[in-house]
Amino acid sequence: MADYLAPFWELFRHDSRLRFRLVLLFALEEGAEAHRSVAQKLPTPQISQRGMRLRPWDLVVCANHCLPRFVPRSPSVYIGHGPKCKAHDGTELAYSSASFDRSGRPLYSLMFAETEAEKSKEVTVKPGLSDIIAVVGNLESDAVLAHLPRRSEFRKQFGFQTGETVVFVLSTWGEHCLWHTMGDALLEEMGKLNSEFRFVLSAHPLEYHNPATVSSAVNDEIQEWKRESRFVLRAHPVEVRKKPEGGRVWGEYLRSQKQHGFIVREPSESWIPYMVASDIVVSDFTGLIEYAVLLERRIVLTPVPGAQIWQDSTIAEVRKFAPILDDARFLRDRHTEAQANYPMEQLGQLARLVHPYPGEAAGRIRQAIYKVLGLAPF
C-alpha cells in the first residue's frame, strides 16, 4: 500500500504543523527488498502496533480496510488503492460491508471517490455516505498524463525501436489473474511472437511471495494482545490462500523469463513508464486497466468470472467492446484485431469519462484533508 500512501504523504510532507508516523499492520514476508522499498517511498518514522494504540490520532490514513482498532478514538480517511473495480457484497470493495461497523455506521470520517457519478451511485444506495464521500479525482491519473509527453524517452530507455509494437502484459493477483488461468500457454505463444512484438511482463506484488505463513513477529504480537483483551483477527484473503503443493510463485517465475527476451517489470518499479511506452495492453481485471483506457491504449482482456467485477467499474465498460483472449493460441489474432480494427471511438469516449478533473486531484485532496483536521490550507 506504500504506492498509494506515498503520493498522499507527498502532498502534506512540507507542512511543519503535521507529523507523520507509519504503522506496518502486517509483517513484510518478502524480506529486505520490500522493507527498503517501503522505506524509500515513505521515509517517515515507524511505530509498532502497540505504540499506535497508546493514544488517539488527529487523523488515520488507510489505503485498505484496516481500521477497526482505531475507530473509537481517531478520525480517519480511506484513500483507496487504485481504481475501484473488484466486486464484494454486491458492490465495490471500498463501499462494501468492510466500510461499516456491526451497527451499520460508516467506519470512516472521509472516503475518496474519483468522480461525482461514482459518489452519486453509492449515495443512492447508502445515504449515510453522503457527507463522508469526497470527490477528489485521481492522483495516479494525473501522474499518468504528466508522463505522457515522455513516451519517446521511455521507449528509447527500454530499447524499443521505432515502429515496434510494444505489448504490456499485466495482471492482478489470485486464481482468476491471467498468469494463473493461462500463464504457461501465454508465455509459449509470446515466445513464438517475439520477433513481431516486444513484450513487457508484469505481476502483482502479491504474486512474488508465498502468503500462507505468519511471521514470528506477528505471532508474538498476537500473544501480547491476548493478555490485554479479547479480539477478532481479520486477514486479507490473500494472507490465508495456500498455494498447491509445489505451486509456482508467478512473480519469481516471470523473472526467469528475461532469458527468453522478455522485459520484466519489477514490483518496486513504477508501471507508469511501461504503460506510457506501450501500444497494446493485455490484462485481466486489474484496476490498472483504467489507466490504459485513459491513455487510449488498445486493450485485450482474458476471461474473468463476472461476479468478480464491479459492474459500475471502468473495467466492466471495457469488457463490452474489448477483444477477449479466451485461448492463448489466438494471441496473434487478437493482436492483429487490436491493431487493425479496434473500436477507438468507444475507447475515446470512455477515456474522457474516467478522469473528468485532470490536474485537480492534489488541490481537492488538500482541501478535504485540511477541513477534517480543522486547519487552514498550507
Side-chain angles (χ1 to χ4, degrees):
M1 296 300 158
D3 288 333
Y4 303 97
L5 291 169
F8 177 93
W9 170 71
E10 289 285 351
L11 297 179
F12 301 96
R13 61 179 297 192
H14 298 298
D15 189 336
S16 60
R17 298 171 296 177
L18 306 180
R19 297 289 184 270
F20 298 89
R21 297 294 183 268
L22 177 65
V23 181
L24 298 179
L25 292 179
F26 296 100
L28 295 176
E29 296 292 346
E30 301 93 322
E33 179 183 352
H35 281 277
R36 283 194 299 270
S37 178
V38 170
Q40 288 170 357
K41 294 170 183 175
L42 285 166
T44 64
Q46 294 187 17
I47 61 171
S48 69
Q49 295 191 44
R50 180 180 177 83
M52 78 182 181
R53 300 193 302 274
L54 295 179
R55 52 157 291 173
W57 301 86
D58 295 306
L59 186 64
V60 178
V61 182
C62 304
N64 203 350
H65 294 304
C66 52
L67 188 61
R69 297 184 67 81
F70 289 104
V71 173
R73 309 179 70 191
S74 307
S76 57
V77 55
Y78 178 81
I79 66 172
H81 52 283
K84 298 177 179 68
C85 59
K86 304 292 196 302
H88 186 76
D89 289 350
T91 183
E92 211 282 332
L93 177 62
Y95 305 117
S96 68
S97 58
S99 295
F100 299 84
D101 65 18
R102 292 182 179 180
S103 300
R105 294 170 298 193
L107 293 174
Y108 301 98
S109 312
L110 186 66
M111 298 179 72
F112 287 173
E114 291 185 49
T115 67
E116 289 289 350
E118 176 189 327
K119 176 178 179 177
S120 178
K121 289 177 181 177
E122 290 307 314
V123 168
T124 299
V125 181
K126 304 178 180 71
L129 294 178
S130 178
D131 295 329
I132 292 175
I133 297 178
V135 178
V136 299
N138 188 319
L139 282 174
E140 278 192 315
S141 292
D142 285 343
V144 168
L145 293 178
H147 282 75
L148 186 55
R150 301 176 61 187
R151 174 176 163 85
S152 296
E153 173 191 339
F154 293 142
R155 287 179 67 93
K156 182 177 181 180
Q157 174 185 325
F158 297 137
F160 303 144
Q161 302 300 314
T162 302
E164 282 189 320
T165 299
V166 178
V167 182
F168 190 22
V169 186
L170 73 162
S171 75
T172 185
W173 57 270
E175 61 181 321
H176 301 299
C177 83
L178 63 82
W179 297 121
H180 284 262
T181 58
M182 61 171 64
D184 286 321
L186 196 56
L187 287 172
E188 181 179 351
E189 292 302 315
M190 288 190 292
K192 298 175 184 177
L193 301 177
N194 249 343
S195 61
E196 302 176 46
F197 303 92
R198 296 295 303 276
F199 291 98
V200 179
L201 314 183
S202 177
H204 191 285
L206 289 174
E207 293 294 337
Y208 276 85
H209 63 99
N210 189 337
T213 57
V214 176
S215 72
S216 58
V218 171
N219 189 62
D220 290 344
E221 195 140 24
I222 289 172
Q223 298 308 314
E224 181 181 334
W225 291 348
K226 287 173 68 176
R227 289 191 293 270
E228 298 177 9
S229 62
R230 297 180 66 184
F231 59 92
V232 176
L233 295 180
R234 179 171 183 251
H236 191 290
V238 78
E239 297 298 335
V240 296
R241 174 176 57 85
K242 292 182 179 293
K243 295 183 182 297
E245 188 68 25
R248 177 178 295 161
V249 180
W250 267 102
E252 303 296 340
Y253 185 72
L254 290 185
R255 284 172 168 159
S256 72
Q257 298 304 299
K258 295 177 184 179
Q259 63 182 314
H260 300 301
F262 297 117
I263 295 173
V264 180
R265 184 190 74 89
E266 290 292 323
S268 59
E269 290 183 282
S270 171
W271 51 267
I272 294 178
Y274 293 102
M275 183 80 80
V276 169
S278 69
D279 301 293
I280 298 174
V281 172
V282 176
S283 193
D284 39 43
F285 65 125
T286 171
L288 298 186
I289 293 171
E290 183 166 310
Y291 303 116
V293 171
L294 182 64
L295 293 173
E296 297 188 47
R297 297 292 180 260
R298 292 166 166 83
I299 301 165
V300 176
L301 298 174
T302 58
V304 175
Q308 299 293 317
I309 301 172
W310 183 38
Q311 292 309 302
D312 290 327
S313 66
T314 299
I315 295 174
E317 291 300 314
V318 175
R319 286 189 168 270
K320 294 178 181 178
F321 60 80
I324 301 297
L325 179 66
D326 50 13
D327 188 322
R329 292 174 298 175
F330 301 129
L331 182 62
R332 177 190 274 111
D333 294 342
R334 295 293 85 80
H335 285 357
T336 300
E337 180 182 351
Q339 289 175 300
N341 192 32
Y342 205 85
M344 296 303 296
E345 182 176 351
Q346 288 175 270
L347 181 62
Q349 291 173 350
L350 188 56
R352 290 184 285 276
L353 292 175
V354 298
H355 191 47
Y357 321 112
E360 297 183 19
R364 286 171 175 254
I365 290 172
R366 288 192 183 99
Q367 182 179 10
I369 293 300
Y370 281 122
K371 182 178 179 180
V372 171
L373 291 173
L375 295 174
F378 174 70

